[in-house]
Amino acid sequence: MTFNNDKAIYLQMCDRLCDEILAGRYKDDERIPSIREYAVMLQVNSNTAVKAYEQLARSGIIYNKRGLGYFVTEGARRQILESRRQEFVSSAMPEFIRQMKLLDVGIDDFIAMYHQHNQE
């Protein structure tokens, strides 16, 4: 995984695991890679992975079964979707709409571009 400098690595790891849950790679009550496995997979320090897993556990996305590892919390996908939608509406959407106005892109133009992009 390539990390950027805009956000702490452990938060980017959280985002990646959430992306994997959204994509269906990990389902409710399914075991996810151990902290060590995920650290090796992403080529990061184990302490960084620990911070990511702790953050996800605090957020209710994953939970720990002592001696068995971490699992996806029931309803985690729905929780992630709701959180990301709220973030999109409050952060990305206003700038997106501003750019559409500046570039004189109407809603019909956008819909056509959206459909064209989805066909590729």
Side-chain angles (χ1 to χ4, degrees):
M1 176 172 178
T2 303
F3 297 101
N4 63 51
N5 294 326
D6 298 343
K7 196 177 206 181
I9 291 175
Y10 82 96
L11 292 175
Q12 292 177 64
M13 291 177 67
C14 290
D15 289 344
R16 178 186 168 131
L17 194 52
C18 286
D19 288 349
E20 291 171 339
I21 292 169
L22 287 175
R25 182 167 183 189
Y26 304 114
K27 298 182 180 5
D28 287 356
D29 294 314
E30 187 175 319
R31 186 180 177 279
I32 61 173
S34 71
I35 290 171
R36 185 171 301 143
E37 290 169 338
Y38 213 56
V40 168
M41 186 186 322
L42 300 182
Q43 300 176 338
V44 299
N45 184 297
S46 291
N47 292 330
T48 304
V50 166
K51 284 178 72 172
Y53 276 50
E54 287 175 348
Q55 175 66 37
L56 290 168
R58 277 192 304 274
S59 300
I61 302 298
I62 61 174
Y63 64 95
N64 188 7
K65 282 188 183 178
R66 191 176 188 101
L68 297 176
Y70 282 91
F71 293 77
V72 176
T73 302
E74 187 174 331
R77 185 176 189 282
R78 183 179 60 255
Q79 180 183 342
I80 296 164
L81 276 173
E82 288 174 15
S83 174
R84 294 232 178 134
R85 284 177 180 160
Q86 288 175 357
E87 184 180 333
F88 176 77
V89 168
S90 65
S91 298
M93 196 170 196
E95 176 59 19
F96 179 78
I97 291 171
R98 187 180 82 79
Q99 288 293 324
M100 284 180 62
K101 288 178 181 176
L102 284 174
L103 300 172
D104 197 26
V105 176
I107 192 69
D108 293 333
D109 298 325
F110 169 75
I111 291 170
M113 287 183 245
Y114 176 84
H115 288 301
Q116 181 182 2
H117 181 74
N118 277 339
Q119 291 176 359
E120 296 173 357

